[in-house]
Amino acid sequence: MANNDQNQTEAGRHQEVGHKSLLQSDALYQYILETSVYPREHEAMKELRELTAKHPWNIMTTSADEGQFLNLLLKLINAKNTMEIGVYTGYSLLATALALPEDGKILAMDINRENYELGLPVIKKAGVEHKIEFREGPALPVLDEMMKDEKNHGSYDFIFVDADKDNYINYHKRLIELVKVGGVIGYDNTLWNGSVVAPPDAPLRKYVRYYRDFVLELNKALAADPRIEICMLPVGDGITLCRRIK
Amino acid sequence: MTMTKEEQQQNHIAGHKEQGHKSLLQSDALYQYILETSVYPREHESLKELRELTQKHPWNLMATPADEGQLLGMLLKLINAKNTMEIGVYTGYSLLSTALALPPHGKILAMDVNRQYYELGLPVIQKAGVAHKIDFREGPALSLLDQLIKQEKNKGTFDFIFVDADKDNYLNYHKRVIELVKVGGLIGYDNTLWNGSVVAPPDAPLMNYIRHYRHFVMELNKALALDSRVEICQLPVGDGITLCRRII
């Protein structure tokens, strides 16, 4: 995704940060944010969000409503041991760290340490940095290493995948073993800017069109996977929750 | 919900859309994609039967949509719910979703002013083998809630409470259910985005019932956001569900 794309507001690309949703109007989305999200947003999350808004790749960031949802979900399932694939500046990572108990742990992976380090001071100030183990580099080799050891199987309460869409199915093959039975995997961007239903001749940005096939395939695969129960939520860019049942 | 027959027939004008096509999403095509890809293939056959039965009913726009039923089922399993309450049943789609998600010894106290609609759906619930989990009470919920509140032993005994009823009473329900749900438990308020009308300009053409209840919905949303006893999350699923996790 080239930097010079992100200032143009044509159809078929993700809208600007704070205004991208799958809802019938931006007004409705702003209503949710103003009424239920921002008044409840932890000050560290707000700081991180504002910092990130200045960054050129800011459309990659997790939205505030999604952060709130993740935080609630993690508390509801009493998560302690989690994993995150795809960190960027750490908004969902911070939402997670704030939700976990004192002895909670997050294994966080991203190919880019620089962006993580942009947000890290805010995470430190929030007093939750000790819960995070950050690994720079592609996730697949780390996952393959972990798979070799039986004791890692079924050891995660929650795994959040918000990374390269062309690898989601590859991640899924491993994560389904690493998450515990009864645990949750969350796949982000599964409605891909609504492009999952765009007609073949619709004008789409190259990166939207390129990854769309992978997203469509992932959605079909998850719906057909008998090891999980699923729920596709129109929060953010679409999150599919997968509860492992066997 | 007080809606005249005339208004029902005109419900295509700024009212709730037809069952199976009402959503808050950017297009019906996107909503159908979610339903076709992730919801219908996973829908329990009894839920499907109940949904199709309800489709023929004149008040069917009151029914819980299938995507919302799926979310409720998942949430209930994630929180290991055993003892739940439902205020507002209609033909029982969310009730059946709940009953299917609870363990065999799970219990649901279900209230509705109208037993007739519940009895329409009951044969399907019975066929699904989960009717034994349900304790149905006909009548207004407030009086029953007040009775429950009188006894200390009822406080904090519910894992999950779903409110999908008369919007002008949600705040009154909240005053009671906040005591009845356990600390760490979940309350769900349905229809909190009210067909998107929460952001309609003052002169927008709205059906009478939408306009009438809109004010109550907006007041509820403000009150929940300010309530320090709960952590909230307002999801654009169905007509908007606000989840409230009790923390004190």
Side-chain angles (χ1 to χ4, degrees), chain A residues 22 24 31 36 40 219 223, chain B residues 24 26 33 42 221 225 234:
Chain A
L22 297 165
Q24 56 185 214
Y31 174 84
S36 305
R40 296 298 197 117
N219 292 340
Chain B
L24 297 165
Q26 55 185 216
Y33 174 83
R42 297 301 197 116
N221 292 340
Q234 191 168 27

Side-chain angles (χ1 to χ4, degrees), chain B residues 90-228:
Chain B
Y90 184 45
T91 58
Y93 192 91
S94 55
L95 183 56
L96 178 54
S97 300
T98 301
L100 288 169
L102 298 193
H105 55 289
K107 297 263 169 280
I108 311 160
L109 175 59
M111 300 175 246
D112 199 296
V113 293
N114 189 310
R115 177 178 275 281
Q116 234 179 47
Y117 301 147
Y118 168 62
E119 284 176 348
L120 258 175
L122 187 51
V124 180
I125 296 180
Q126 279 163 341
K127 214 190 327 176
V130 292
H132 65 283
K133 301 181 192 178
I134 300 165
D135 174 5
F136 180 87
R137 310 279 183 92
E138 187 184 23
L142 276 177
S143 27
L144 181 50
L145 292 176
D146 281 335
Q147 262 181 40
L148 287 172
I149 291 274
K150 281 195 188 129
Q151 299 197 288
E152 272 305 309
K153 71 171 166 61
N154 289 324
K155 294 193 183 171
T157 57
F158 290 89
D159 301 312
F160 178 75
I161 298 177
F162 188 52
V163 183
D164 185 11
D166 41 341
K167 317 304 160 208
D168 48 344
N169 265 320
Y170 273 32
L171 275 171
N172 295 324
Y173 294 140
H174 187 63
K175 285 194 181 82
R176 285 109 175 131
V177 301
I178 190 65
E179 305 282 348
L180 295 170
V181 77
K182 71 179 188 191
V183 172
L186 203 54
I187 305 168
Y189 289 105
D190 201 26
N191 303 102
T192 59
L193 291 172
W194 204 224
N195 202 39
S197 72
V198 290
V199 293
D203 58 346
L206 300 175
M207 295 299 305
N208 283 344
Y209 79 92
I210 298 267
R211 187 178 291 286
H212 174 75
Y213 290 109
R214 178 172 64 157
H215 169 76
F216 293 103
V217 171
M218 294 177 75
E219 286 308 302
L220 171 78
N221 292 340
K222 281 188 212 152
L224 293 178
L226 284 171
D227 190 339
S228 53

Side-chain angles (χ1 to χ4, degrees), chain A residues 13-30 32-33 63 65 193-194 234-238, chain B residues 24-26 30 236:
Chain A
R13 73 171 291 287
H14 288 89
Q15 300 311 308
E16 53 178 291
V17 109
H19 292 271
K20 54 174 180 148
S21 84
L22 297 165
L23 306 187
Q24 56 185 214
S25 69
D26 186 50
L28 185 62
Y29 182 48
Q30 296 311 312
I32 295 172
L33 292 174
S63 58
D65 50 313
N193 203 39
V235 175
D237 196 29
Chain B
L24 297 165
L25 306 187
Q26 55 185 216
L30 186 62

Side-chain angles (χ1 to χ4, degrees), chain A residues 21-25 27-28 31-32 35-37 39-40 65 68-69 71-73 75-77 182-184 190-191 193-197 215-216 219-235 240-243 245, chain B residues 23-27 29-30 33-34 37-39 41-42 67 70-71 73-75 77-79 184-186 192-193 195-199 217-218 221-237 242-245 247:
Chain A
S21 84
L22 297 165
L23 306 187
Q24 56 185 214
S25 69
L28 185 62
Y31 174 84
I32 295 172
T35 310
S36 305
V37 182
R40 296 298 197 117
D65 50 313
Q68 186 187 48
F69 173 67
N71 182 282
L72 184 80
L73 182 63
K75 287 173 186 171
L76 287 174
I77 65 175
V184 181
T190 56
L191 292 172
N193 203 39
S195 72
V196 290
V197 294
V215 172
L216 289 168
N219 292 340
K220 282 187 211 153
L222 294 177
D225 190 338
R227 300 165 298 183
I228 54 176
E229 285 175 349
I230 66 173
C231 181
M232 204 179 207
L233 294 174
V235 175
T240 301
L241 298 179
C242 307
R243 182 175 154 270
I245 55 175
Chain B
S23 85
L24 297 165
L25 306 187
Q26 55 185 216
S27 69
L30 186 62
Y33 174 83
I34 294 172
T37 311
S38 306
V39 181
R42 297 301 197 116
D67 52 315
Q70 187 184 49
L71 171 66
M74 173 161 291
L75 274 174
K77 288 176 188 169
L78 287 176
I79 66 175
L186 203 54
T192 59
L193 291 172
N195 202 39
S197 72
V198 290
V199 293
V217 171
M218 294 177 75
N221 292 340
K222 281 188 212 152
L224 293 178
L226 284 171
D227 190 339
S228 53
R229 298 165 299 182
V230 293
E231 284 176 348
I232 66 172
C233 183
Q234 191 168 27
L235 295 173
V237 175
T242 301
L243 299 177
C244 307
R245 180 175 159 270
I247 55 175

